[in-house]
């Protein structure tokens, strides 16, 4: 009986640790600002996508020739949606499909550039 108690107690103690093991999570994406080119209705324009701690923290559309009341508004809406969802997988804006698709593709390319290859 003493042997059984000793074995059970030994097994219980082996499974316990005095300090909890914390898993160190490596970021999926490298922090930084990535510049890509979007092709919109009014031509090409630069996009700067900033990632930090695996989050899209900022997307900036540089000077562009999109119609301010259509493509310009679409750019603002899409950027807001991307930051809120932390994803480039957002809906296009009706009436500004080409601008929307160009912006989404440019941010997608930036995210692909940022992938951490150290795994």
């Amino acid at each position: 009986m003493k042997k059984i108690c000793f074995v059970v107690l030994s097994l219980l103690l082996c499974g316990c640790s005095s300090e909890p093991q914390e898993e160190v999570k490596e970021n999926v994406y490298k922090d930084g600002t990535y510049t890509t080119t979007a092709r919109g209705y009014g031509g090409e324009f630069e996009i700067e996508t900033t990632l930090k701690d695996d989050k899209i923290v900022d997307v900036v559309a540089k000077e562009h020739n999109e119609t301010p009341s259509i493509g310009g508004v679409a750019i603002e809406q899409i950027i807001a949606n991307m930051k809120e969802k932390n994803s480039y997988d957002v809906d296009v804006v009706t009436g500004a499909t080409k601008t929307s698709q160009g912006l989404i593709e440019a941010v997608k390319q930036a995210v692909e550039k940022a992938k951490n290859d150290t795994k």
Side-chain angles (χ1 to χ4, degrees):
M1 182 71 170
K2 287 182 181 180
K3 287 182 182 180
I4 293 174
C5 288
F6 177 75
V7 171
V8 171
L9 184 60
S10 296
L11 289 174
L12 288 172
L13 289 174
C14 289
C16 297
S17 175
S18 61
E19 294 181 29
Q21 297 286 333
E22 286 190 33
E23 187 176 319
V24 176
K25 183 183 169 228
E26 186 173 338
N27 286 349
V28 176
Y29 302 104
K30 295 176 271 189
D31 292 349
T33 299
Y34 300 87
T35 302
T36 52
T37 302
R39 288 177 184 81
Y41 183 77
E44 293 185 347
F45 56 100
E46 281 191 355
I47 301 295
E48 288 184 351
T49 305
T50 303
L51 298 162
K52 179 147 177 69
D53 298 327
D54 287 344
K55 293 188 191 273
I56 297 172
V57 294
D58 202 12
V59 177
V60 176
K62 296 298 188 174
E63 187 175 323
H64 58 80
N65 293 318
E66 303 305 298
T67 307
S69 61
I70 301 170
V73 171
I75 290 170
E76 291 175 16
Q77 288 177 351
I78 290 174
I79 289 172
N81 290 342
M82 287 179 176
K83 288 166 51 174
E84 181 181 325
K85 287 182 68 175
N86 191 39
S87 174
Y88 56 80
D89 187 16
V90 297
D91 293 334
V92 299
V93 175
T94 303
T97 305
K98 190 165 182 136
T99 302
S100 300
Q101 290 171 336
L103 175 58
I104 291 167
E105 182 60 31
V107 174
K108 179 180 178 181
Q109 289 174 9
V111 170
E112 291 297 317
K113 281 183 182 181
K115 279 193 177 171
N116 198 343
D117 296 335
T118 61
K119 290 185 176 185

